[in-house]
Amino acid sequence: STIWLDDTNRAARQAAERALSLAPASIAAQIDRGVALACLGWFAASAAAFRLARATDPAVFDRLMQAIW
């Protein structure tokens, strides 16, 4: 159901936020946050999260994105 998906996406966003609080420079956590925000329909925030992840370390971002997708 939609409610279950919303709860799952909120939990994913919260997990990414927690990971970022522990390791703010984690590209993987930044990507996870971007994906969770997109799944919640928060596209501007998602795009900003992806831009930050890429700006933090473009080479790592590209490598992780290729591994994920």
Side-chain angles (χ1 to χ4, degrees):
S1 81
T2 301
I3 293 171
W4 179 82
L5 288 175
D6 286 346
D7 289 345
T8 300
N9 293 332
R10 281 189 192 92
R13 187 199 56 143
Q14 290 169 345
E17 297 286 352
R18 175 76 174 132
L20 285 170
S21 75
L22 298 172
S26 170
I27 308 302
Q30 292 172 10
I31 290 170
D32 288 347
R33 182 174 182 267
V35 170
L37 290 168
C39 289
L40 288 166
W42 301 349
F43 302 117
S46 174
F50 281 109
R51 281 193 300 273
L52 176 61
R54 191 164 207 297
T56 301
D57 191 326
V60 171
F61 176 83
D62 290 345
R63 188 177 72 244
L64 289 173
M65 291 301 290
Q66 289 174 5
I68 294 167
W69 304 108

